[in-house]
Amino acid sequence: MLNKQGYHLAVLGATGAVGKQIIKTLEKRNFPISQLTLLSSARSAGTKVNFKGESITVQEAVPDSFEGVDIALFSAGGSWSQKFAPDAVKRGAIVVDNTSAFRMNPEVPLVVPEVNEDKLHDHKGIIANPNCSTIQMVATLEPIQKAFGLKKVIVSTYQAVSGAGSAAIQELKDQANAILNNQEYTPSILPVGSEDKHYQIAFNVIPQIDVFTENGFTFEEMKMINETKKIMGMPELKVAATCVRLPVETGHSESVYVELDQEDVTVEDLRKVLIDAPGITLQDQPEEQIYPMPAMAVGKDDVFVGRIRQDLDEKSGFHMWIVSDNLLKGAALNTIQIAESLIKLGLVSN
Ligand code: NAP
Ligand code: 3JN
C-alpha cells in the first residue's frame, strides 16, 4: 500500500540492473511513498512492475515526467542525467544521481551517509551517489581515518559484471554456456560497451573498467581516486587504484593497502574500530578461514571487511579485503539512504 503522507518518488532507469534494485530496496525498507513514477527509455515503456501489491506501468521519460515529484532517483546513465536533472530540479524535485555526471562538480555534494551526511545541507537540487567501488572503500576508510589518520591508500578491485549493467550479466551467462558447450561466442559488451574492442569475460579476468584516460589510469580508477578524496574531504590523501573485471555476477571485492598517520596501531586496534563502525561487518577470523566473499555478500546491506594484516616492512601499513553487494550499498541502497537522510534532516518537503 502506498502511503498518503509519503513522498512522490520517481525512478529514472527503473528497468535497469540498478533501477530494479532501487524498486526492491524501496519496498524492503518501507520507504514512505505516496506515488511512484517509474521511467525508462521508449524501449521499456509499458512494462508493468509490481510494487507493494500495486502494478505500476513504466513510462518513457520526458521533462514533464518530473512534475510534482519530490525526490527523483536517477540511474539511466550520465548523458540522461545531464539531460533530465535540470528538468527535474526546475520542477521542484531533489535529484539523487547514481551516475558520474555531477560527482566532481564542486556545487554537488557526493555523499555516503555514514561518512559525510552533513554535506547534504549544501545541496542545490542535485546530490551525487558515488561509484560503487568508492562507496565500499570509503565506508571502511572513514572510521580508520578518524581513529588513526590516513596517509596513503592503494586499492586493487575485483569487480562483478553486474556493475556494467543487465546486458553484461547476460553476456557472462551466455558466454559461459557457449564455452562449456564448445560453441562460438563473440563478446560484444565488456570491457566497455561503447568501444570497438571486446574481450571474453567468462573464465577470464579483464584489467580494464571504463575507458583509458591520458595518464594511463582508466576512468573507473580515476573515479575511485578523485571521489575518495572529495568524500573524505582529504584532497592531499595519496590514492592509487587498479580496477579489474571478474566473471562474478554480483559483489565487488577490493584488496586495500593503507598507511596510517599513527605509528603504534595493531591489527586488533583496527578490528576494534571496524567492529563498531556503521554499515560495516567485520569477518576476520583467519584461524577459522572466515573472511568476506562476494557470493555471501549478495543481497546484504553491509560492507564486509576481513584479512586485516600488518605489512611486513612498513609498520604503519595494513592490508585488508573489502566486499559488498555493488548493486545495493554500491548503488541502490546508498541512493535510498541519501533520500532517507534528506527526510531525517528536514531537507525535503512533500
Ligand atoms: P542498465 O542495466 O543497462 O539499465 C539502464 C537503464 O537506463 C534502463 O532502465 C534503461 O531503460 C534506462 N535508460 C536508457 N536510456 C534511457 C533514456 N534515454 N531515458 C530514460 N531511461 C533510459 O544499467 P545499470 O547497471 O542499471 O546502470 C545505469 C547507470 O547507473 C549507469 O550508466 C551508471 O551511470 C549508473 N551506475 C552507477 C553505479 C555506481 O557505481 N553507483 C553502478 C552501476 C551503474 P530501457 O530498459 O528502456 O533501456
Ligand atoms: O563497472 C562497475 O562495476 C561500476 C560501473 C559504474 C558505472 C557504469 C557506467 C557508467 C558508472 C559509474 O557509476 O561510475 C558510470 C558512470 O560514469 O556514470
Side-chain angles (χ1 to χ4, degrees), residues 63-238:
D64 277 341
S65 307
F66 301 97
E67 204 58 61
V69 168
D70 301 310
I71 307 173
L73 308 178
F74 279 20
S75 65
S79 53
W80 301 109
S81 293
Q82 300 267 15
K83 174 171 163 47
F84 287 119
D87 295 322
V89 172
K90 199 163 72 189
R91 288 166 175 79
I94 299 182
V95 172
V96 185
D97 181 39
N98 235 303
T99 79
S100 60
F102 305 105
R103 287 181 193 149
M104 295 315 295
N105 181 332
E107 300 271 286
V108 174
L110 179 63
V111 175
V112 177
E114 294 88 336
V115 179
N116 63 344
E117 186 184 56
D118 56 310
K119 292 287 175 207
L120 290 174
H121 290 283
D122 304 337
H123 89 81
K124 297 181 173 57
I126 302 174
I127 294 137
N129 188 73
N131 176 270
C132 41
S133 301
T134 310
I135 293 176
Q136 64 186 66
M137 186 169 80
V138 297
T140 309
L141 294 183
E142 176 68 9
I144 296 175
Q145 149 65 16
K146 264 197 195 142
F148 311 115
L150 263 183
K151 278 202 300 224
K152 186 183 202 175
V153 180
I154 301 176
V155 55
S156 295
T157 69
Y158 302 67
Q159 296 183 218
V161 293
S162 57
S166 318
I169 302 174
Q170 198 54 49
E171 175 146 296
L172 171 62
K173 290 178 179 170
D174 293 346
Q175 211 176 81
N177 264 325
I179 292 171
L180 288 171
N181 291 302
N182 285 322
Q183 289 161 355
E184 288 291 311
Y185 188 97
T186 310
S188 60
I189 309 286
L190 294 168
V192 183
S194 58
E195 299 287 287
D196 291 338
K197 202 158 193 175
H198 301 291
Y199 294 118
Q200 174 185 330
I201 182 63
F203 309 103
N204 194 19
V205 164
I206 305 178
Q208 181 191 354
I209 298 182
D210 214 325
V211 294
F212 281 95
T213 70
E214 278 178 4
N215 62 18
F217 284 79
T218 64
F219 190 39
E220 182 82 352
E221 290 160 354
M222 290 313 299
K223 286 182 220 174
M224 283 197 82
I225 293 166
N226 294 327
E227 292 176 18
T228 297
K229 295 178 192 209
K230 176 168 174 177
I231 298 163
M232 298 190 72
M234 298 177 74
E236 306 302 326
L237 182 66
K238 292 178 179 161

Side-chain angles (χ1 to χ4, degrees), residues 198-311:
H198 301 291
Y199 294 118
Q200 174 185 330
I201 182 63
F203 309 103
N204 194 19
V205 164
I206 305 178
Q208 181 191 354
I209 298 182
D210 214 325
V211 294
F212 281 95
T213 70
E214 278 178 4
N215 62 18
F217 284 79
T218 64
F219 190 39
E220 182 82 352
E221 290 160 354
M222 290 313 299
K223 286 182 220 174
M224 283 197 82
I225 293 166
N226 294 327
E227 292 176 18
T228 297
K229 295 178 192 209
K230 176 168 174 177
I231 298 163
M232 298 190 72
M234 298 177 74
E236 306 302 326
L237 182 66
K238 292 178 179 161
V239 188
T242 303
C243 292
V244 178
R245 185 78 67 196
L246 259 70
V248 165
E249 182 172 336
T250 301
H252 283 3
S253 306
E254 298 176 345
S255 168
V256 179
Y257 170 76
V258 293
E259 273 175 28
L260 309 179
D261 279 333
Q262 209 170 303
E263 288 274 322
D264 51 354
V265 179
T266 65
V267 167
E268 257 329 293
D269 293 333
L270 278 172
R271 287 187 181 139
K272 271 190 205 137
V273 160
L274 289 170
I275 214 158
D276 292 330
I280 302 282
T281 297
L282 187 70
Q283 283 184 330
D284 196 18
Q285 289 168 263
E287 64 290 354
E288 304 283 340
Q289 288 176 263
I290 290 175
Y291 36 71
M293 286 182 278
M296 280 71 180
V298 174
K300 309 255 170 58
D301 287 353
D302 267 6
V303 172
F304 298 89
V305 186
R307 299 288 330 272
I308 303 173
R309 59 215 188 273
Q310 190 161 27
D311 189 71

Side-chain angles (χ1 to χ4, degrees), residues 33-54:
I33 297 179
S34 58
Q35 190 177 337
L36 183 59
T37 297
L38 299 181
L39 303 167
S40 70
S41 78
R43 285 182 295 274
S44 298
T47 306
K48 304 259 188 236
V49 174
N50 197 294
F51 183 78
K52 292 194 168 183
E54 297 193 21

